[in-house]
Amino acid sequence: MQYFEDLEIGAKRSFGRYEVKRDEVIEFASRFDPQPFHLDDDAAAATHFGRLSASGWHTCAMTMAMNVAAMGEQQQAGLGAAGIDELRWLKPVYPGDVLRCETELLDKTPSRSRPEMGSFRSRTTVFNQDDQKVMSFIALGLIRTRAGAAA
């Protein structure tokens, strides 16, 4: 199990593989971001996207799926997250793309009021199959300390 004390500033990790499916792009958009360029080929062709593209929020959801799978493999004592900073959608994500992630631990801070936990900031960058950056953000994660695990 990885605890707060085990986190190393500057540590990098690559993980995930998510194949973007056309039916998922349309289903997500129809429920949560029903803009024409996420739903219709002709409407999308008339935009700067050039063709049907995934919602940025869908890209976030696909990234979360990869994150959760990676956390399960790593056995981290995670306690959720306190937020996201600097979310950027850098390039469109299209059906047929294959996404992957890279993270870098930027810093960590023990809680002053709750000794059983600490927080950390990590930069996540999402790439497509051509190694183009399609999204980036800084996450503020919460994690249990060894003392917190013993309690």
Side-chain angles (χ1 to χ4, degrees):
M1 183 71 64
Q2 184 182 42
Y3 296 97
F4 174 82
E5 294 85 353
D6 303 318
L7 298 177
E8 295 181 28
I9 295 170
K12 295 181 180 179
R13 187 165 178 230
S14 296
F15 60 90
R17 184 177 193 285
Y18 197 102
E19 294 182 37
V20 182
K21 304 276 196 254
R22 178 183 172 80
D23 59 332
E24 288 181 0
V25 168
I26 293 170
E27 180 183 351
F28 185 96
S30 66
R31 293 188 65 205
F32 303 110
D33 190 358
Q35 298 183 75
F37 47 85
H38 298 316
L39 297 169
D40 180 78
D41 291 311
D42 292 333
T47 69
H48 66 284
F49 295 114
R51 59 187 169 117
L52 192 76
S53 64
S55 165
W57 297 112
H58 187 195
T59 304
C60 290
M62 292 182 278
T63 301
M64 189 65 196
M66 289 186 282
N67 265 312
V68 171
M71 285 188 287
E73 294 169 7
Q74 191 178 29
Q75 298 286 316
Q76 190 180 71
L79 296 170
I84 296 287
D85 291 330
E86 300 178 27
L87 173 62
R88 299 290 183 268
W89 294 303
L90 305 168
K91 286 195 176 292
V93 171
Y94 299 107
D97 282 352
V98 179
L99 305 179
R100 67 177 181 82
C101 301
E102 292 182 4
T103 60
E104 178 182 5
L105 185 67
L106 301 176
D107 55 47
K108 66 180 190 176
T109 307
S111 174
R112 288 185 283 260
S113 61
R114 298 186 65 186
E116 74 276 9
M117 65 190 298
S119 64
F120 63 92
R121 289 186 328 125
S122 61
R123 175 177 288 108
T124 297
T125 306
V126 183
F127 296 86
N128 67 17
Q129 69 282 352
D130 298 321
D131 287 329
Q132 296 173 317
K133 295 177 184 179
V134 298
M135 187 176 77
S136 68
F137 60 88
I138 295 175
L140 178 59
L142 304 173
I143 187 169
R144 187 171 285 119
T145 61
R146 290 191 184 285

